[in-house]
Amino acid sequence: MVRDNSEIIKVEDIHKTYKLDDVDVYAVRGINLSIKKGQIAMILGPSGSGKSTLLHVLGALDKADKGKLIVRNTDLTNLDDYSLAIFRRYYFGFIFQSFNLIPTLSVLENVLVPTIPDNTTDKKTVRAIEIIKEVGLGHRLDHKPNELSGGERQRVAIARSLINNPEIVFADEPTGNLDSKNAVNIAELLIKLRDTNNTTFVIVTHDANMTKYADVIYYIKDGLIDKIEDKTKRK
């Protein structure tokens, strides 16, 4: 497959401050970065470093106080909440550390949840089954989350993030609740999906062992990028 390596995400001088009681907490303080299509980009840092805040800004789940966010050559900086929601629906997928599955729904139904705003169709159901099989859970279609292991629940969350064919998937500590074996399995699955679909993954983690799977690593400390390691330049 011919891979498109064009720039897909660019941020310029991003700042984000929160109020904690009467104290200003400077979560992100002037970050610049660029991510190319099809990359697995990781944001690595300790707890409280600002990495999850940065991910939320990149995924347009939260607005920066200052700076510019450009995705797919579209400036999202000043879009209203409705326009951002539409953009996220068509171009973004999200994976959360706590899985965020609906306990009363089956695996298939959970994966189909993001299709509800556009009406779930037979075509989407077929697509969902294909993705569930792709992540190795074809035999679990009718199972509820409490009938699955942690690794299987995360696979459901990954399948759900892919149902609308997003160009970019944002993952917040996707292996944080998994043992080391399942963490490796999930990381290898993400690489497989990237290689198959040229999907861009932006992953927040505090686990240095995960960086072996990255194309580029942004080390973040105290709301600033401390170091960038671009492995693609070695190839």
Side-chain angles (χ1 to χ4, degrees), residues 30-33 54 218-221 223-228:
I31 281 181
N32 299 277
L33 61 78
L54 177 59
Y218 295 93
Y219 295 89
I220 188 168
K221 181 179 179 181
L224 295 165
I225 291 179
D226 190 47
K227 182 176 68 170
I228 300 173

Side-chain angles (χ1 to χ4, degrees), residues 1 3 8 36-41 91-93 127 161-162 165-170 190-202 215:
M1 181 176 73
R3 194 174 299 282
I8 194 168
K36 293 180 180 178
K37 188 172 178 60
Q39 281 190 329
I40 293 181
Y91 299 113
F92 293 169
R127 166 68 177 155
S161 77
L162 298 171
N165 297 311
E167 294 186 26
I168 309 167
V169 173
F170 297 92
L190 296 181
I191 290 174
K192 175 187 173 185
L193 293 170
R194 185 278 307 274
D195 291 344
T196 301
N197 305 315
N198 203 30
T199 305
T200 304
F201 286 92
V202 183
D215 296 306

Side-chain angles (χ1 to χ4, degrees), residues 5 48 55 71 96 142 167 176 215:
N5 291 318
L55 187 80
V71 182
F96 304 98
D142 298 321
E167 294 186 26
D215 296 306

